[in-house]
Amino acid sequence: MFFLADLLIQKGIVNHRRQQDELRIWEGSDFNVDLELTKYLEQERSSLVNLLSAIRPLTPLVAQRHSYKTGTLRYFERRYLDSLEDLKKLRGASNGGDGLVGYWVDEASPTDVPSTAADGTPLIVLRAAKLDLLRSRAREFAALKKIQTSAPELQTDGVARKEVRYRLVQAEQLLDETLSQAFDVADPHSCCWIQGKQETIGHVTDLNGKLSDVCDEVYSQGIILWNELINRRELTSQGAKARRELIEAMLEDPEQERLGLQGYGPEVSMYFSVLKNTGIHRSEDGDWGFFPPQEDSGVLTGWQVIEEFCLLAKDKQQTLDNLYKQLEAPPIGVKRGVIPVLLAAVLLYHIDDVGVYKDGTFIPVLGAEHFELLVKDPSRFAVKYFEVVGVRSQVFKELEAILRSPNSQMPPGIRNTTLLTVVRPLFQFVKKQPAYTKKTKRLSSEALAVLQTLQQAPEPDELIFTALPQACKLPPIGTGKADDGTTAKTLRKKLVQAIREIQTAYDELLRECQTLLHDAFAVRSSETKLREDLRVRSNHLMGQSIERSLHSFTVAAADETVADKEWLEALVMIVADKPAESWTDEDVTKFEINLSDISRRFKNLEALQKEVVAKGAGFDARRITVTCPDGQEIHQMVGIDRDRQDQVDHLVNDFLAKLGDNSQIRQAALVRLMEAILGEVSQENVARIRGKHKNRESGQETSHA
């Protein structure tokens, strides 16, 4: 019986299974699974890491206790590792993970395990046991998978297809059992490194407790927020719509209770969780507005990070993608979904001294449409803190209070003192502005009127109740009756916008000059790379020009020791021959004209140097440009061989001797000679280019034939 069975198996007529030394003979088939399996195993050269990643990818592990306690779902990404991986450069495959668990599948144990991954998130490494068995079963399962999907015989052989399917199920069960045994943390042959320290874990369930302990330590300053709709990395379509409606209400109705939201929709749920219950949106002195959250609110640390980021942006704009990175990284670890709401609250609280920019352009009035773009691409937006001398939110609040009650019963001394606390910082602010800002007319009509009003320095009463309202296109505020708050808020809003425009006038001038420099010197990269581009190009021209302005420009452009603003101011001053701070509006036009000239000479000198380098030593080059009466220009690079210099000088002297001493005739002859020679060269170039095109076209016709 067994002899007959072996014979049938060898010939591939039947398939078989051995169970406890019992041979069962099945239906016949021409496909030998064992033979194909051996072939695939011989061809398989993948590492164990790649094999397991392909056939048994790992799903994330959730830190359950920590997530339940804080309301923030934190999970650890899992992946297989071996000695080919540099643990110090290790990063998660996605940006949403709060940590990384590495499963080590290498004979050699890992050395010098770091406490964190390269992105700063915590790192845990588990070393596998029984690697030989794991490798054998992983390879067998992978081979059977390939046979099932790629063997053409299985398309028509139902018996073989059934056999492969059965053996694949068995191989999968064995692989899963082996994986569980290999990474059993309770096994004495397994090792575990938690944040760089080797630890012993008694049971597999204790691993999740360790994950929560790690999150408690690493994300110690994380926020506590119970709302699954918004406290997550990626919002659902319903959640995104609710957040958008909430931000619209924050921008349009900040003075209303509940921001004017009605009902019990998801946007109302977000409002109570993020703004109302935390104390961010509350009533103070009868007025609803945005304020720092309460200490026990759970979101204070997030607020403080955003506020500090905005207030430190004094010297230059700071893009919001850097804020997102800071908030999402330890020890905060804020989920991206809630950041726009907290950011909007901070910006509304600092509406008088923090400005928002989009693609480098100031946004006078922040709208919901800006936040829609901000959510998609924070790098396009930036903030800057307006450190106006003495002018702060409190000044505008006092101004608003005065305007609401212009006929208050305060004693004259106290009233004058209160007026001066508002007026004095405004006068100081204008006094500190550059001369350009004080003289320019390149402002909006309201900002220009406010600037002129503050420069005239009228009496405090007249300034606040008459001059400033008129400058902002509002009627004078009489002392007969109190304002209901509408005029005061309107004036405050307009005055803040005007002061912000006045303060940024000089920066806008420099930004415009930077754009002109970028275009004039034909910089191919973005404006942010202007300095690097000019530095490299100027280094090649150092010492080549003795003309004062071009020499000064190349030296200043190559300077790496000063800050970006000082570097730009130096270039602008050289081009205009006048510091930008003292410009008038006419100097802007003068700058454009001078820039056109110096950029042309700069690029001509560049072309000249390239020609000299190409020709080598013993060669002098000149770039000649002839402008014809019809506006056409002829540009030509002329080379002078130093070995033939005497011959050239002799020809020139003979030519000048024949022309006589009449300077006008000499100049006219020189022009005609240059036009003739350059015209011939130009015609030769045109003919050569046409010849190339003709050859290319004939070649294409030949290829088509």
Side-chain angles (χ1 to χ4, degrees), residues 124-262:
I124 296 175
V125 177
L126 303 175
R127 189 187 69 183
K130 304 177 180 178
L131 275 179
D132 292 337
L133 182 60
L134 178 61
R135 184 178 294 104
S136 173
R137 290 181 172 172
R139 295 179 72 230
E140 181 177 356
F141 178 72
L144 287 168
K145 287 278 287 185
K146 288 183 179 179
I147 292 173
Q148 186 187 43
T149 56
S150 61
E153 294 86 351
L154 299 184
Q155 301 296 324
T156 56
D157 194 335
V159 175
R161 191 165 57 246
K162 181 178 179 182
E163 177 66 20
V164 170
R165 190 184 308 120
Y166 174 81
R167 296 184 65 169
L168 189 61
V169 171
Q170 275 195 325
E172 185 175 20
Q173 292 175 350
L174 291 173
L175 177 60
D176 290 340
E177 291 175 6
T178 308
L179 275 172
S180 299
Q181 295 171 5
F183 293 106
D184 184 3
V185 292
D187 191 320
H189 296 93
S190 298
C191 293
C192 179
W193 288 265
I194 300 178
Q195 291 185 279
K197 299 178 181 178
Q198 188 169 345
E199 296 190 17
T200 301
I201 299 178
H203 195 271
V204 67
T205 55
D206 296 338
L207 178 61
N208 198 280
K210 289 290 184 181
L211 298 183
S212 292
D213 292 340
V214 169
C215 287
D216 291 341
E217 178 183 347
V218 174
Y219 298 100
S220 57
Q221 299 180 30
I223 67 172
I224 299 175
L225 181 63
W226 290 92
N227 192 308
E228 294 181 355
L229 278 173
I230 195 170
N231 192 14
R232 56 193 303 167
R233 177 171 176 77
E234 298 293 340
L235 269 60
T236 62
S237 57
Q238 181 189 25
K241 179 184 178 183
R243 181 180 62 186
R244 183 174 63 251
E245 293 177 354
L246 175 60
I247 293 177
E248 287 178 1
M250 293 172 68
L251 297 172
E252 295 174 4
D253 300 304
E255 310 92 352
Q256 293 191 31
E257 186 177 0
R258 289 181 48 155
L259 300 175
L261 296 171
Q262 304 295 326

Side-chain angles (χ1 to χ4, degrees), residues 451-467:
L451 177 62
Q452 293 172 347
T453 300
L454 292 175
Q455 285 179 299
Q456 295 169 1
E459 292 296 323
D461 277 8
E462 181 186 351
L463 176 70
I464 289 181
F465 298 117
T466 304

Side-chain angles (χ1 to χ4, degrees), residues 399-413:
L399 172 63
E400 188 176 330
I402 293 172
L403 295 173
R404 285 191 176 194
S405 304
N407 199 26
S408 63
Q409 301 300 318
M410 286 190 299

Side-chain angles (χ1 to χ4, degrees), residues 634-648:
I634 302 174
H635 303 275
Q636 184 60 43
M637 194 72 65
V638 178
I640 303 174
D641 191 341
R642 293 175 186 170
D643 294 337
R644 306 182 67 180
Q645 186 70 46
D646 293 339
Q647 181 183 355
V648 173

Side-chain angles (χ1 to χ4, degrees), residues 40 50 119 121 184 192 195 197 234 270 274 277 307 312 336 340 410 420 463 503 506 521 534 581 632 658 666 682 694:
Y40 275 98
N50 293 336
D119 55 4
T121 55
D184 184 3
C192 179
Q195 291 185 279
K197 299 178 181 178
E234 298 293 340
M270 291 181 181
V274 183
N277 296 342
E307 186 175 47
L312 288 178
R336 183 168 285 228
M410 286 190 299
L420 287 175
L463 176 70
Q503 188 182 14
Y506 180 65
F521 285 92
L534 288 183
E581 287 188 345
Q632 182 182 1
K658 293 178 181 179
R666 285 188 171 196
S682 179
K694 186 176 293 184

Side-chain angles (χ1 to χ4, degrees), residues 258-540:
R258 289 181 48 155
L259 300 175
L261 296 171
Q262 304 295 326
Y264 302 94
E267 69 280 1
V268 177
S269 169
M270 291 181 181
Y271 165 76
F272 277 98
S273 299
V274 183
L275 301 176
K276 183 65 171 66
N277 296 342
T278 59
I280 292 178
H281 188 244
R282 61 179 184 265
S283 174
E284 287 195 0
D285 300 327
D287 295 325
W288 283 88
F290 293 97
F291 304 93
Q294 301 161 355
E295 291 189 6
D296 59 348
S297 62
V299 298
L300 181 60
T301 53
W303 174 285
Q304 290 173 338
V305 170
I306 298 174
E307 186 175 47
E308 183 180 6
F309 181 87
C310 294
L311 299 185
L312 288 178
K314 296 180 181 179
D315 299 329
K316 62 179 182 179
Q317 303 167 20
Q318 295 291 341
T319 54
L320 292 180
D321 57 327
N322 293 324
L323 173 62
Y324 270 66
K325 292 176 184 177
Q326 187 175 343
L327 287 169
E328 291 178 303
I332 309 296
V334 179
K335 294 302 178 182
R336 183 168 285 228
V338 75
I339 293 178
V341 178
L342 292 176
L343 175 61
V346 173
L347 293 176
L348 290 171
Y349 176 67
H350 286 281
I351 192 171
D352 299 328
D353 47 26
V354 174
V356 183
Y357 294 77
K358 176 193 168 190
D359 297 329
T361 303
F362 175 67
I363 302 175
V365 180
L366 200 59
E369 67 278 8
H370 299 121
F371 274 90
E372 283 194 49
L373 292 175
L374 188 151
V375 168
K376 298 176 182 177
D377 189 2
S379 64
R380 295 183 61 185
F381 291 82
V383 293
K384 186 177 181 183
Y385 176 52
F386 295 95
E387 195 177 15
V388 186
V389 181
V391 182
R392 294 291 182 271
S393 298
Q394 187 59 36
V395 171
F396 294 110
K397 290 177 182 177
E398 292 176 0
L399 172 63
E400 188 176 330
I402 293 172
L403 295 173
R404 285 191 176 194
S405 304
N407 199 26
S408 63
Q409 301 300 318
M410 286 190 299
I414 298 177
R415 177 178 174 80
N416 290 337
T417 302
T418 306
L419 286 172
L420 287 175
T421 59
V422 175
V423 172
R424 186 181 294 112
L426 294 175
F427 288 150
Q428 291 175 347
F429 161 71
V430 173
K431 186 177 180 182
K432 294 287 185 181
Q433 295 306 305
Y436 164 79
T437 304
K438 296 176 183 178
K439 292 182 288 187
T440 185
K441 299 296 187 290
R442 306 173 75 191
L443 296 170
S444 66
S445 58
E446 290 185 6
L448 191 59
V450 169
L451 177 62
Q452 293 172 347
T453 300
L454 292 175
Q455 285 179 299
Q456 295 169 1
E459 292 296 323
D461 277 8
E462 181 186 351
L463 176 70
I464 289 181
F465 298 117
T466 304
L468 282 179
Q470 288 179 340
C472 295
K473 299 180 180 179
L474 294 173
I477 300 174
T479 58
K481 60 179 181 179
D483 178 38
D484 62 356
T486 304
T487 304
K489 289 180 179 178
T490 304
L491 177 58
R492 172 184 170 178
K493 182 178 180 180
K494 286 177 173 288
L495 189 58
V496 168
Q497 292 178 2
I499 286 180
R500 194 170 288 172
E501 186 178 348
I502 293 168
Q503 188 182 14
T504 58
Y506 180 65
D507 290 337
E508 287 297 314
L509 172 67
L510 291 180
R511 193 175 70 82
E512 181 181 348
C513 291
Q514 179 177 335
T515 302
L516 291 172
L517 283 166
H518 178 273
D519 296 340
F521 285 92
V523 179
R524 296 181 180 179
S525 53
S526 63
E527 286 188 23
T528 57
K529 303 294 184 182
L530 171 66
R531 180 173 185 177
E532 180 63 18
D533 184 275
L534 288 183
R535 182 190 66 79
V536 173
R537 292 164 66 181
S538 297
N539 277 328
H540 292 301

